[in-house]
Amino acid sequence: MQIKTILRKGVDHKVYCEDYLYSFQNDNWIIAATFDGCSDGIDSHFASSLSGKILKSIIQQSANSLTDSLSTEDVYNFIIFNFLLTLEEMRLKLSLAGNELLSTMILLVYNKQSEVGKVIAMGDGIVVIDGEMTIIDQNNEPEYPITYAGKITGHFQDVITFLETHKNQWTFRGFKDVTISTDGHQQWKHKTDINKKFQEAMDFFIYDTEMNNLEVMLARKYNILKLKGWENHDDLGMIRIINNEEKNTETEAIDNGRIYSENE
């Protein structure tokens, strides 16, 4: 399985890229996540980076325990529980206000042996599972992980209760092509042709199979779009996972309704 990533600063962000990516793969598991700091927050680049580092630490500390004896749901629940718990602990330890930790997270957990995957989106972003795209747009008032973190008291049942009611989750079996992305794709603009829509650039990244064999596929696509006059005005953080093996693919969206962006 090939994990392709791209992280680029948007032209409207003059200093920092406020997106962050993390991915992990071993013989049994793929774990990947995108993070997008809210521009209305304080030090948004810090919020997304800290969130990503927390996830990285959780995976590193538990990597030896990530065997094929665990179910996808076991690992998914474990990661979300420890992520939210640690995020709140860091907020308290660093004496941070909630608006200093405003970052989205889209998390993907996939068990290679059972071929079962789960995705959760906390905040805005894009999820594509074998061509089925969901654009999550919460009208600039997304429910960030920090919104939920204070409700996790240290009891594992807290996260089970949270996940029972959280809308934006997907479960799938097997896949050929999966993408998780921050919402930066919705801010592609052509420098000279105002009639061109952002979907043209976005679809080139998400659906086009050209250069799939290249590790730098997404970087090449980005450079091609720039040469054609496109600019990404928002930061772009994207992970695309391509599976060349034959799979039995089924998808269950816990939130069955597609959520459209106002820009579509």
Side-chain angles (χ1 to χ4, degrees):
M1 295 188 188
Q2 305 171 53
I3 300 178
K4 318 285 191 179
T5 66
I6 187 164
L7 183 66
R8 294 290 187 274
K9 184 170 70 69
V11 297
D12 290 349
H13 291 173
K14 303 305 180 185
V15 181
Y16 298 111
C17 176
E18 297 171 359
D19 288 4
Y20 193 88
L21 304 177
Y22 173 75
S23 63
F24 167 87
Q25 180 174 200
N26 65 12
D27 291 340
N28 299 306
W29 295 93
I30 293 176
I31 297 164
T34 64
F35 304 88
D36 183 359
C38 172
S39 297
D40 292 334
I42 299 173
D43 295 332
S44 301
H45 62 287
F46 168 78
S48 58
S49 297
L50 178 63
S51 298
K53 299 295 186 184
I54 289 172
L55 178 61
K56 178 182 178 182
S57 176
I58 292 167
I59 302 307
Q60 286 182 333
Q61 292 178 37
S62 58
N64 292 335
S65 302
L66 294 175
T67 65
D68 58 3
S69 64
L70 299 172
S71 72
T72 303
E73 187 169 11
D74 288 338
V75 174
Y76 179 79
N77 293 348
F78 169 82
I79 291 172
I80 295 170
F81 172 73
N82 282 281
F83 175 80
L84 293 176
L85 190 67
T86 306
L87 186 63
E88 177 64 7
E89 288 174 351
M90 292 301 295
R91 186 188 72 80
L92 296 172
K93 184 176 293 186
L94 298 175
S95 301
L96 299 173
N99 62 356
E100 293 179 275
L101 288 175
L102 296 182
S103 173
T104 68
M105 179 174 76
I106 300 179
L107 171 71
L108 177 148
V109 177
Y110 183 75
N111 185 324
K112 293 182 179 180
Q113 305 309 316
S114 68
E115 300 178 5
V116 174
K118 293 182 75 70
V119 176
I120 184 171
M122 286 183 262
D124 295 347
I126 299 169
V127 176
V128 188
I129 302 172
D130 285 332
E132 292 294 324
M133 178 185 292
T134 304
I135 297 178
I136 305 104
D137 186 344
Q138 298 175 333
N139 297 317
N140 293 319
E141 294 182 358
E143 296 180 338
Y144 299 102
I146 192 62
T147 306
Y148 307 111
K151 301 175 184 178
I152 305 299
T153 64
H155 300 289
F156 194 74
Q157 183 59 40
D158 292 343
V159 80
I160 302 300
T161 302
F162 159 64
L163 292 173
E164 286 175 347
T165 58
H166 188 75
K167 291 193 304 179
N168 293 315
Q169 300 182 71
W170 299 260
T171 298
F172 59 95
R173 180 175 295 277
F175 71 93
K176 294 181 179 179
D177 198 337
V178 170
T179 292
I180 56 175
S181 175
T182 62
D183 62 0
H185 276 303
Q186 295 172 260
Q187 296 302 322
W188 281 104
K189 295 179 181 179
H190 198 275
K191 289 190 286 187
T192 59
D193 188 346
I194 62 173
N195 293 316
K196 284 183 174 290
K197 304 298 184 182
F198 73 86
Q199 287 93 341
E200 180 179 336
M202 180 175 70
D203 290 354
F204 183 55
F205 270 102
I206 292 174
Y207 294 122
D208 185 83
T209 58
E210 185 180 359
M211 299 180 287
N212 272 6
N213 60 318
L214 299 180
E215 184 176 345
V216 295
M217 176 187 74
L218 296 181
R220 289 278 184 89
K221 289 180 180 292
Y222 180 85
N223 291 336
I224 289 170
L225 287 174
K226 298 286 279 187
L227 289 171
K228 290 183 175 181
W230 288 93
E231 287 186 327
N232 57 308
H233 282 250
D234 194 7
D235 299 333
L236 178 64
M238 172 182 167
I239 299 174
R240 183 173 172 183
I241 306 171
I242 298 172
N243 185 358
N244 295 323
E245 300 176 13
E246 289 294 326
K247 298 293 178 182
N248 174 27
T249 57
E250 299 175 2
T251 302
E252 171 195 352
I254 295 176
D255 177 22
N256 290 306
R258 177 174 171 181
I259 303 174
Y260 290 89
S261 163
E262 291 181 349
N263 292 327
E264 284 191 300

